[in-house]
Amino acid sequence: MTDHGEGTCRQVDTGMARVFGLLGKRWTGLIVSVLLEGPVFFAELRRAVPGISERMLSDRLTELAAAGLVVREVDGGPPLRVSYRLTEAGRALEPALKELGRWAETYLADGGKCPARFRE
């Protein structure tokens, strides 16, 4: 029987699993990045995230609200308009998302691939 040492017992950190369980879903990070600039009406948010359907945007906003990262606000109008903004917890993601953006500029600038000079 082969013993692979303590490495065989490694598991993903539960905090990271929760973060990527939410932010790892398609569109979610893009939505949060748009909301970092301030409150946005639904239609503006949909235009800011190319390719997202109204249904998917609504679903992702509902998930973000349930997680306590986004607040939905209704302006009675007329016309009736709904806007979304980040909560304090949502705004706290800004440093991490900006750092990921810087990382992508350095390591994924080549069409989404890590340039050869950074590979081992």
Side-chain angles (χ1 to χ4, degrees):
M1 186 151 126
T2 304
D3 180 12
H4 296 286
E6 67 181 76
T8 58
C9 296
R10 288 186 190 158
Q11 292 186 357
V12 173
D13 175 73
T14 57
M16 289 300 268
R18 290 193 327 264
V19 165
F20 282 98
L22 177 64
L23 296 180
K25 292 182 179 179
R26 187 171 186 193
W27 310 112
T28 304
L30 298 176
I31 293 166
V32 172
S33 70
V34 170
L35 291 173
L36 283 171
E37 298 172 19
V40 181
F41 290 110
F42 184 89
E44 295 169 335
L45 188 53
R46 183 163 183 256
R47 283 191 296 274
V49 182
I52 193 169
S53 69
E54 284 187 19
R55 172 63 187 232
M56 184 58 66
L57 177 56
S58 180
D59 288 350
R60 290 297 183 256
L61 287 167
T62 298
E63 291 171 358
L64 288 165
L69 301 179
V70 169
V71 173
R72 179 181 189 264
E73 297 175 329
V74 178
D75 176 9
L80 178 75
R81 295 180 74 181
V82 177
S83 66
Y84 296 86
R85 66 174 173 79
L86 293 174
T87 62
E88 181 181 340
R91 288 189 308 275
L93 288 167
E94 185 171 15
L97 292 178
K98 284 190 174 187
E99 189 59 34
L100 284 170
R102 282 190 287 276
W103 176 86
E105 285 298 314
T106 300
Y107 296 105
L108 297 180
D110 188 21
K113 295 182 198 170
C114 184
R117 70 182 182 273
F118 295 116
R119 295 184 203 149
E120 290 189 65

